[in-house]
Amino acid sequence: MATYKIAVLPGDGIGQEVTPEARKVLQLVAKATGLGLEFETALIGGSAIDAAGTPLPPATLALCQGAHAILFGAVGGPKWDNLPQEQRPERGLLGIRKELDLFANLRPATCFPMLVDASPLKRSVVEGTDIMVIRELTGGLYFGEPRGREEFADGSARAVNTMAYSSREIERVARAAFDVAMKRRKRLASVDKANVLVVSQLWREVVTRVGKDYPQVQPEHVLVDNCAMALVHKATHFGTNVTEDTFGQLLSDEAAILAGSMGMLPSASLGGKGGRLGLFEPVHGTAPDIAGQGVANPIAAILSASMLLRYSLDRGPDGDRIDAAVLRVLEQGHRTRDIHSAGTKLVGTIEMGDLICREVEKSY
Ligand code: IPM
Ligand code: MG
């Protein structure tokens, strides 16, 4: 059987705590199935700045370029907040996305029945939520040109970012989104601001054209402000959403609340190498307020490992076992602090990882 190389980039804060749990689960799957997985760890983000003076050391980029998939933790933290924009930990992640051409970010937000009450939103809103937010990741406002800042002699300044897309960039993320929608409820909402932005008008035009190749999918166009409202009002209306980088950034964090806790949400960034290379990371960040205490929820990282098996290694059934194991552990009443409530059993990061491993092991 083939051997796959997995680059492991824990990064900063709780990334250091949850990533080993995800790796533990992958190692277990490898042992149970004979799948060859070779792990190599590298520095990224703030810890790379401290050790190597840059958020994305060349050795890390080279490792990622040679890997089949990347298991990522999180980057950033107050320690590096005062660095100039281009040297911040976040640049490490943005650099990998751009260098490896990971253009489609998939963020599922599913409300597990036993966690309905973990969401601060009403049961009637969150119950049944099962949304996939697909966000374009290498164009749009984050990367568009021109961008930068100029200082004037009178002491004033001007700064600019540009939301720019070529029809090719829109087309490839639209295709990725229609492909995903085909495997889910066949409903795709394309989110834009076409009543104001010309870039959104092009977006709308291209998505409409691509949609003609997917007659089974029901597409609709939704304005981003309206979508933000509808998400917390009638979330179950949505199946798969596709949108620009910044819009998706906002909507996917909003959708996280529908799923109870940020600690539950995995993500995949796909592209590169014929669409198969992927970076898999929990949606939550470094959570500096709880880092180092062993209380972080590893479920988002573990579900990201499941996405890694599914999307980069074509091992969907092994991913299903992980997803099912997570559900069983939750059904048994185990909870980390972020999703804990009266009557459930409080566990720490490592214990949650062990419980999930045990269930995965039993499933083989
Ligand atoms: C995300 C994160 C990143 C982003 C940061 C860490 C650069 O917030 O993936 O949602 O803004 O894209
Ligand atoms: Mg974000």
Side-chain angles (χ1 to χ4, degrees):
M1 202 180 285
T3 294
Y4 297 101
K5 188 164 202 171
I6 313 292
V8 183
L9 275 45
D12 310 318
I14 62 168
Q16 298 273 354
E17 297 165 59
V18 298
T19 313
E21 300 309 306
R23 175 181 170 158
K24 210 158 83 181
V25 175
L26 286 176
Q27 270 163 332
L28 190 66
V29 170
K31 199 173 115 211
T33 62
L35 179 70
L37 296 183
E38 205 177 276
F39 297 91
E40 197 174 328
T41 302
L43 291 165
I44 186 84
S47 37
I49 295 175
D50 291 351
T54 166
L56 178 55
T60 301
L61 184 58
L63 173 69
C64 293
Q65 275 160 338
H68 292 93
I70 304 157
L71 188 63
F72 194 95
V75 287
K79 182 173 175 196
W80 306 281
D81 271 353
N82 295 325
L83 289 174
Q85 204 55 242
E86 292 301 317
Q87 294 163 31
R88 289 173 59 111
E90 289 80 357
R91 281 286 140 193
L93 176 56
L94 296 176
I96 294 186
R97 287 176 182 167
K98 193 69 179 172
E99 292 295 330
L100 301 188
D101 203 20
L102 303 173
F103 63 86
N105 182 250
L106 276 53
R107 295 193 173 183
T110 308
C111 181
F112 294 117
M114 66 292 268
L115 293 183
V116 168
D117 297 315
S119 172
L121 298 171
K122 279 191 196 144
R123 169 177 283 267
S124 60
V125 172
V126 299
E127 204 162 37
T129 297
D130 184 16
I131 306 174
M132 177 75 89
V133 180
I134 299 183
R135 162 182 163 207
E136 202 289 330
L137 216 51
T138 52
L141 192 57
Y142 276 28
F143 290 100
E145 305 270 2
R147 64 172 183 279
R149 176 179 164 139
E150 42 181 340
E151 313 290 332
F152 300 110
D154 68 357
S156 67
R158 182 174 176 274
V160 58
N161 285 97
T162 305
M163 191 187 285
Y165 274 120
S166 69
S167 50
R168 286 218 175 92
E169 286 172 313
I170 302 168
E171 175 162 348
R172 63 180 186 172
V173 74
R175 285 201 188 279
F178 276 103
D179 286 340
V180 169
M182 285 289 287
K183 298 195 194 114
R184 298 168 43 85
R185 267 167 73 207
K186 296 185 177 41
R187 185 189 267 276
L188 181 77
S190 171
V191 183
D192 62 38
K193 190 62 189 166
N195 55 347
V196 178
L197 303 177
V198 61
V199 59
S200 287
Q201 284 159 5
L202 179 64
W203 179 281
R204 212 172 253 221
E205 211 177 286
V206 175
V207 172
T208 304
R209 172 160 56 73
V210 171
K212 298 214 175 11
D213 294 340
Y214 298 83
Q216 306 90 328
V217 178
Q218 193 189 336
E220 63 172 333
H221 300 279
V222 186
L223 294 173
V224 62
D225 40 356
N226 189 254
C227 182
M229 182 176 64
L231 270 178
V232 286
H233 170 58
K234 43 173 188 174
T236 51
H237 169 82
F238 295 106
T240 304
N241 290 10
V242 62
T243 191
E244 181 266 344
D245 200 346
T246 324
F247 295 162
Q249 170 75 234
L250 306 180
L251 296 179
S252 59
D253 271 27
E254 190 188 3
I257 294 299
L258 297 164
S261 163
M262 275 289 227
M264 298 294 299
L265 297 185
S267 80
S269 302
L270 307 178
K273 297 182 183 166
R276 297 210 68 80
L277 176 63
L279 179 148
F280 302 85
E281 62 173 318
V283 169
H284 61 69
T286 53
D289 54 325
I290 59 161
Q293 299 174 26
V295 299
N297 186 350
I299 292 181
I302 290 170
L303 292 174
S304 300
S306 155
M307 292 185 93
L308 183 155
L309 289 165
R310 191 180 313 281
Y311 290 101
S312 274
L313 307 191
D314 205 13
R315 304 279 301 199
D318 293 308
D320 291 343
R321 285 174 202 262
I322 297 177
D323 299 353
V326 168
L327 270 178
R328 270 199 300 281
V329 170
L330 291 171
E331 268 157 18
Q332 291 156 6
H334 302 288
R335 302 281 189 276
T336 43
R337 202 165 76 183
D338 56 316
I339 49 176
H340 179 245
S341 59
T344 62
K345 292 170 247 171
L346 183 64
V347 298
T349 310
I350 296 178
E351 202 184 341
M352 180 57 98
D354 287 341
L355 286 162
I356 294 168
C357 279
R358 198 183 64 192
E359 289 300 327
V360 172
E361 197 163 21
K362 277 203 270 177
S363 78
Y364 282 101

